[in-house]
Amino acid sequence: MGGILRIYRNDWRNVFKVPVAVFLIAALVVLPSVYDWFNVAAVWDPYSNTSGIKIAVTSLDEGTTVKDKSFNIGNDVMESLRNNKSLGWTFVDAEAAHNGVKRGDYYASIVIPADFSKRMTGILEGRIVKPEIEYTVNEKINAIAPKITDKGASSITTQISENFTETISETVFTALKQIDSKFQSELPIIRKVEKGLFQLEASLPEIETAGQHVLKMEAQWPQIHASAERISKLENKLPEVEKAGLALEKIAEHWPQIADAADHLDALQDKLPKIEQAAQLIVQLDHHFGEVEQIMDKASEGLTEANKVVSTALTALPKAEKIATAGNDFVLELQKFLEKSNAAFEAVPAALKQNIYLLQKTENAVVQLAELLQGEDIDPQAVREQLESVSAQLGSGSNVMDHTLSLLSALNTFSPGTVPNAEIGALKDVNNTLSRQTSLVNSLVLDLQNEGQPDPSDVKQLGLKSGEGNVAIAKLISEYEAATIPAIKNTLEQISTAAETTATALEQVPDRLSALGTLLEETMAAIEFGQSSLASLQQDLPAIREAVHTAASGVADKTQSFGAFVRDTLPLIQSSLPVAGEKIQQAANFVRQDLPAVEERVHQISDLIRTGLPRADKGVAVAADMVRNDLPILEDSIRKAAATIRQIKDEVDLGEIAELLGGDIKSKSDFLANPVVLKENKLYPIPNYGSAMTPFYVVLSLWVGGTLLISLLRTGVDTEGIVYKRYQLYFGRLLTFLTVGILQALVAVLGNLFILKCYVVDKVWFVLFAVLISIVFVTIVFTLVSVFGNVGKGIAIVFMVLQFSSSGGTFPISTTGHFFQMLNPFMPFTYAISLMREAVGGILPEVAIRDCLYLILFGVIALLLALTLKKPLERYIEKAAEQAEESKLIS
């Protein structure tokens, strides 16, 4: 606390040491007050000087005569304005009025046209044409003057309306007095109307109930309309119904076959264990598929090794040309070759067996292709790709079959009858089938290329041939396993020992050497085909594994579900079939006998809906509109009329009405012209506009004073080597600013009280509130500069501009834009102006306390900002100030 007071004392000691500083402080104290005083004095009582606002007035009214009575309303208006000093009425001709307003000599002009009186009185003759007064205003001269001239023009129209109403009502009442005698003669009819009106009023509840039914129907009409349209659209579904009926008749016709087929479903229960066993095999295959891959790898390695062995044997085969020259030495060489070539001969049966199985794989591909082509909605591109793939496989298979036949022929050369001619014939038949299939596949490829669709006859032939080929290969495999393999192995063993007898049958060697070469060459070709087919199969192996895994993943659940269906659901289906058959027969009878009549009735109803629904829509809408709009008015009118009649009957009789029709015409017409007298009650009377504006200008001048302080005085403290804490520096200099701010507030409000003689109900509170407001404002602007430096000065000015527009100081806040209305509750000006108005007009304690608390809250927030942000931002603000100094322009 001592450090704060020391800074405060030093500030004022330094001020009084320098006369210029004293003068500057005095100017800072007085300048905001001068701003306040001049503005208040300028708007002291602007509405008492409106006689200086010139308005040109011209009457061109030619007047009129109605029922022997002359009217010239324009002259009456001109005469009344000559005695009216509220505005500067100037009487000129029409041209001078127009030019004067245009040049700015007059703020506005009022021209009464020539037919004004004629239009005004036209209602008396049955012509209702509203008269017009030409009002021209020059809004460019001043923003407020047009509002005042508008009031002047409105007062003229009001005066004319009042005078005219009084005149017309006087005429009407005179006419009513004349018809009083006629009223007496019509009294019996009036009694009848009265009775009928009361009866109609008694029936209103029933009318209202009927109206509610109409409205309820209107509310439900969209659903009714939609239902009707759905019924109408049912006609469009009749072809589908007919199709369904035909399908139902076919089902009924074939129901015996369906029932017979259902009886055979029992066989599924016998096959269920095998189906479940097959599902388990799929799962086991999925679990052991890795072993399949290993077997494939070993087979590939085996084929590679066999290929090497056969190739080596073929290379080492002795040449027949050596027989003549070598003789017995050739025999020994051949014997050694055969002994070394046992491994090559052992590969022959396995290669043949493998190739036949691979041919079966090719035939399976052909079967699948045939099934695909026989399906619906085939994809030409996908089919073309599969056709080309199968064509390539068939070509390879046919080639393998040629090599297989050559190999078997070579074996028969060594040992005639090793492979029976029937089996060789079967192989040739398979080869012919392959060739025919290749031809059909190639033809189908051309069909797709030329016509986009396969030839049905070719597709059918391919299906037949694929079936024949599959059966033939399956039979071939069976016979090969049973007889051909043992015979081939026996012949190959004989070849190995053939060299021992070659010496005695040397003349047979050339033929057998040729057969031996053919055997090895065809074996190598078979091995190479097996290698290529096995490689292709290995490429497809991941996809096959994925397919097996996908099948195995759901096969258990599906098998279980299928088993449950077979065991549980199938008996229910079979037991329900007789009842279903009866129902289907009944439905089929309905289709045959009753459906045509139903369709005819649907057509009739649809025609009725199409023609009658639009009229019904319109009728319901009209009726509902009458109930909604006209019925309430009718009911209200009936009730009012009945109530009026009852009131008249209770209060006066028809004789009194007759007296009313006579009566004092003058007083009644005056009442109609001015039926209401405004009784003004001022809750907080303020005698002049200047006093009413004092709160706003005092508050504005105090913020301006705070802004001047932060612009001319330094917020930083010259410590003179003494170490102060940050809060001591802040509060020490803040006290100096607050002192000047309090002096500004005192000078401003005391000047308003004693110099301008402003009207203030609570003068002491007026002064105290100003001091509080100044303390809060100075704290806010000082904090902004202390924390943010020069940026804070800009924030203070922007803050003042926003508060000027959003505080409701001049115009009610509700007349401003939405943005300023949103800002209003968060602006200090809002509560400062409200607090000063309480002192001027009379204090309402709860309002004054609320405003004080909000102002104190703004001050506390400013202090908290200073204490929390000053230290973190100090380094950045100092750096920004140094950069600004480098500009040689900003201090």
Side-chain angles (χ1 to χ4, degrees), residues 117 254 361 484 529 563:
S117 294
H254 294 89
K361 175 177 175 291
T484 306
F529 174 74

Side-chain angles (χ1 to χ4, degrees), residues 142 156 214 222-223 265 299 340 435 461 518 615 711 730 830 862:
N142 186 273
I156 292 175
V214 172
Q223 291 87 346
L265 292 177
K340 293 180 180 179
S435 299
Q461 284 296 318
T518 301
R615 293 197 297 271
S711 299
Y730 173 78
T830 300

Side-chain angles (χ1 to χ4, degrees), residues 232-245 595-596 598-603 606:
S232 177
K233 290 179 180 177
L234 182 62
E235 185 180 24
N236 299 330
K237 300 295 183 180
L238 288 180
E240 298 179 13
V241 173
E242 292 175 355
K243 289 181 180 178
L595 184 60
V598 172
E599 290 179 344
E600 180 62 27
R601 185 59 179 163
V602 169
H603 287 305
S606 297

Side-chain angles (χ1 to χ4, degrees), residues 747-826:
V747 172
V749 295
L750 292 175
N752 284 319
L753 291 173
F754 299 108
I755 297 175
L756 299 179
K757 305 296 182 181
C758 291
Y759 174 83
V760 177
V761 174
D762 297 294
K763 295 180 175 58
V764 175
W765 284 111
F766 185 69
V767 175
L768 294 178
F769 289 161
V771 171
L772 172 63
I773 292 167
S774 180
I775 290 172
V776 173
F777 284 3
V778 170
T779 302
I780 293 172
V781 297
F782 178 81
T783 298
L784 289 173
V785 178
S786 177
V787 174
F788 299 105
N790 284 334
V791 176
K793 296 178 183 180
I795 294 173
I797 294 172
V798 172
F799 205 19
M800 179 183 70
V801 172
L802 291 175
Q803 293 186 103
F804 187 90
S805 303
S806 61
S807 61
T810 52
F811 293 97
I813 188 61
S814 57
T815 63
T816 62
H818 178 67
F819 172 74
F820 297 107
Q821 293 183 34
M822 290 175 56
L823 291 178
N824 178 263
F826 306 101

Side-chain angles (χ1 to χ4, degrees), residues 28-218:
L28 288 174
V29 170
V30 175
L31 278 176
S33 303
V34 173
Y35 176 78
D36 169 31
W37 299 336
F38 274 94
N39 277 289
V40 172
V43 296
W44 188 256
D45 194 6
Y47 298 108
S48 64
N49 300 318
T50 56
S51 59
I53 298 177
K54 290 186 177 183
I55 300 177
V57 183
T58 302
S59 176
L60 304 177
D61 192 3
E62 297 175 352
T64 188
T65 301
V66 180
K67 296 183 180 180
D68 301 328
K69 186 173 183 178
S70 298
F71 294 92
N72 193 312
I73 299 173
N75 291 341
D76 295 340
V77 171
M78 299 292 282
E79 190 62 31
S80 64
L81 292 180
R82 294 184 193 278
N83 299 320
N84 187 332
K85 303 300 181 184
S86 61
L87 292 171
W89 306 107
T90 306
F91 304 96
V92 296
D93 57 34
E95 184 178 357
H98 175 74
N99 294 332
V101 174
K102 189 174 182 180
R103 290 194 304 268
D105 298 337
Y106 308 112
Y107 288 96
S109 68
I110 295 174
V111 177
I112 300 175
D115 61 348
F116 187 82
S117 294
K118 186 176 182 180
R119 285 192 174 193
M120 195 76 176
T121 57
I123 189 172
L124 299 176
E125 298 176 341
R127 292 180 289 102
I128 302 177
V129 182
K130 288 186 178 182
E132 297 176 351
I133 293 178
E134 296 179 11
Y135 169 63
T136 306
V137 62
N138 187 339
E139 296 184 345
K140 180 172 66 175
I141 301 175
N142 186 273
I144 300 298
K147 309 302 178 185
I148 299 173
T149 58
D150 289 348
K151 293 292 184 182
S154 299
S155 67
I156 292 175
T157 57
T158 302
Q159 179 184 351
I160 293 171
S161 298
E162 290 176 355
N163 293 337
F164 181 74
T165 302
E166 184 175 356
T167 302
I168 294 300
S169 60
E170 184 177 345
T171 304
V172 170
F173 281 121
T174 301
L176 288 174
K177 190 172 183 179
Q178 294 173 357
I179 65 171
D180 179 40
S181 57
K182 294 182 180 180
F183 173 74
Q184 298 292 340
S185 63
E186 300 292 337
L187 193 56
I189 298 175
I190 295 174
R191 296 293 187 189
K192 289 182 181 180
V193 172
E194 174 188 342
K195 183 178 179 181
L197 184 63
F198 287 152
Q199 290 177 348
L200 184 59
E201 182 187 29
S203 303
L204 285 180
E206 298 176 6
I207 297 174
E208 289 178 352
T209 302
Q212 291 302 319
H213 286 310
V214 172
L215 292 178
K216 186 176 180 180
M217 179 183 291
E218 183 196 30

Side-chain angles (χ1 to χ4, degrees), residues 573-787:
I573 293 175
Q574 290 175 323
S575 62
S576 302
L577 278 176
V579 177
E582 293 178 3
K583 297 293 183 183
I584 289 174
Q585 289 298 334
Q586 293 174 2
N589 292 333
F590 171 80
V591 170
R592 285 189 290 267
Q593 299 170 9
D594 301 329
L595 184 60
V598 172
E599 290 179 344
E600 180 62 27
R601 185 59 179 163
V602 169
H603 287 305
Q604 293 174 358
I605 294 173
S606 297
D607 292 338
L608 180 62
I609 290 173
R610 278 193 294 271
T611 57
L613 192 59
R615 293 197 297 271
D617 289 344
K618 186 176 181 181
V620 170
V622 171
D625 185 66
M626 291 177 61
V627 170
R628 192 179 295 107
N629 299 321
D630 300 335
L631 184 59
I633 298 174
L634 177 62
E635 292 177 348
D636 186 59
S637 300
I638 292 172
R639 289 192 176 96
K640 285 182 178 180
T644 302
I645 292 176
R646 289 192 186 93
Q647 185 178 3
I648 292 173
K649 290 179 66 177
D650 293 339
E651 297 179 0
V652 296
D653 57 17
L654 293 178
E656 292 174 343
I657 294 176
E659 183 180 350
L660 179 62
L661 290 175
D664 186 0
I665 296 174
K666 185 67 176 177
S667 60
K668 292 176 183 177
S669 61
D670 180 63
F671 173 80
L672 290 177
N674 299 283
V676 179
V677 177
L678 179 64
K679 184 178 180 181
E680 185 176 3
N681 182 20
K682 294 183 178 180
L683 191 59
Y684 299 106
I686 299 175
N688 54 67
Y689 187 75
S691 297
M693 289 298 293
T694 298
F696 172 71
Y697 284 115
V698 168
V699 171
L700 182 59
S701 67
L702 293 179
W703 188 277
V704 171
T707 307
L708 289 174
L709 287 177
I710 61 174
S711 299
L712 298 177
L713 302 184
R714 294 169 53 190
T715 58
V717 178
D718 186 0
T719 60
E720 298 178 352
I722 301 173
V723 178
Y724 294 101
K725 295 182 179 179
R726 285 186 175 83
Y727 77 88
Q728 291 175 333
L729 295 172
Y730 173 78
F731 283 108
R733 183 51 56 87
L734 176 60
L735 284 179
T736 303
F737 275 68
L738 288 177
T739 302
V740 179
I742 292 170
L743 292 174
Q744 290 175 338
L746 292 173
V747 172
V749 295
L750 292 175
N752 284 319
L753 291 173
F754 299 108
I755 297 175
L756 299 179
K757 305 296 182 181
C758 291
Y759 174 83
V760 177
V761 174
D762 297 294
K763 295 180 175 58
V764 175
W765 284 111
F766 185 69
V767 175
L768 294 178
F769 289 161
V771 171
L772 172 63
I773 292 167
S774 180
I775 290 172
V776 173
F777 284 3
V778 170
T779 302
I780 293 172
V781 297
F782 178 81
T783 298
L784 289 173
V785 178
S786 177
V787 174

